[in-house]
């Protein structure tokens, strides 16, 4: 996956290379076709749904691809997470009208600040939190956790004044 999209060309090449027969190759291609167009709520959800679909339609292909990627990425095998793993989504999302108004009007926030960097307005807290706690916090302002469409946007934020805190 790259930027929330299945890298079709790479997967197709691997499916052809790893197929032991024409029948298996055809099954692999059908699975890629069926699973490659799945869209979830966000990039993480999409990746989870595509993996789940692949495990249902072509489990041997998925296993071989994961093993190939694992072997090529490091000399030591890396244990993979359980296939039932889902993106953290078990946080409470309740928008607080007062906090939303504070954000809109650039009012001070506890343990943080509202800043604009790279043309985007952020709520930046100066404390570390778990993903679910941070997601709930952002949601209380009517926002989501920051994510980046591409590397350039991520670098822009890292080089901004936010990263000085």
């Amino acid at each position: 996956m790259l930027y929330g999209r299945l890298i079709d060309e790479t997967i197709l090449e691997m499916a052809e290379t790893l197929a032991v027969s024409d029948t298996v190759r055809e099954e692999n291609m059908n699975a890629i076709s069926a699973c490659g167009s799945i869209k979830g709520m966000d990039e993480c959800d999409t990746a989870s749904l595509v993996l789940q679909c692949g495990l249902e339609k072509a489990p041997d292909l998925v296993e071989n691809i994961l093993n190939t990627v694992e072997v090529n990425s490091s000399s030591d095998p890396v244990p993979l997470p359980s296939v039932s793993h889902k993106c953290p989504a078990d946080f409470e999302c309740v928008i607080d009208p007062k906090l939303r108004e504070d954000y809109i009007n650039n009012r001070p926030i506890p343990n943080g600040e509202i800043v604009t960097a790279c043309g985007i307005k952020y709520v930046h807290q100066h404390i570390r939190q778990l993903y679910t706690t941070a997601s709930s916090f952002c949601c209380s302002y009517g926002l989501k956790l920051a994510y980046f469409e591409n590397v350039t946007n991520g670098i822009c934020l890292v080089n901004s004044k936010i990263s000085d805190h």
Side-chain angles (χ1 to χ4, degrees):
M1 302 286 298
L2 182 63
Y3 304 125
R5 191 176 154 276
L6 188 66
I7 308 171
D8 299 331
E9 310 80 40
T10 305
I11 299 296
L12 288 171
E13 287 175 21
M14 292 179 86
E16 286 194 23
T17 303
L18 297 170
V20 294
S21 69
D22 289 338
T23 305
V24 171
R25 182 176 294 109
E26 186 175 337
E27 288 172 6
N28 289 349
M29 296 306 162
N30 289 339
I32 291 169
S33 177
C35 300
S37 59
I38 292 175
K39 297 286 183 225
M41 295 181 302
D42 57 25
E43 292 177 1
C44 190
D45 188 45
T46 297
S48 176
L49 292 171
V50 167
L51 179 61
Q52 182 179 357
C53 177
L55 288 170
E56 290 170 2
K57 296 191 180 298
D60 291 338
L61 172 64
V62 172
E63 181 181 4
N64 285 331
I65 289 174
L66 291 176
N67 287 337
T68 301
V69 170
E70 185 177 287
V71 168
N72 289 335
S73 64
S74 70
S75 57
D76 299 320
V78 179
L80 297 171
S82 163
V83 295
S84 64
H85 177 73
K86 302 281 189 221
C87 301
D90 57 344
F91 62 91
E92 188 175 344
C93 183
V94 178
I95 297 174
D96 182 322
K98 184 194 176 310
L99 294 178
R100 181 71 183 157
E101 187 177 314
D102 289 347
Y103 169 76
I104 291 169
N105 295 306
N106 297 318
R107 294 184 188 133
I109 65 164
N111 299 314
E113 61 189 327
I114 296 173
V115 296
T116 300
C118 310
I120 300 172
K121 189 172 167 181
Y122 294 93
V123 171
H124 177 248
Q125 248 192 331
H126 303 295
I127 57 175
R128 294 187 187 272
Q129 297 179 350
L130 295 174
Y131 178 90
T132 53
T133 305
S135 294
S136 257
F137 172 81
C138 289
C139 187
S140 68
Y141 284 87
L143 306 170
K144 295 181 190 175
L145 285 176
Y147 74 95
F148 308 102
E149 298 282 331
N150 55 50
V151 174
T152 304
N153 291 354
I155 290 171
C156 179
L157 187 62
V158 168
N159 291 333
S160 73
K161 70 176 189 169
I162 291 178
S163 62
D164 295 337
H165 296 284

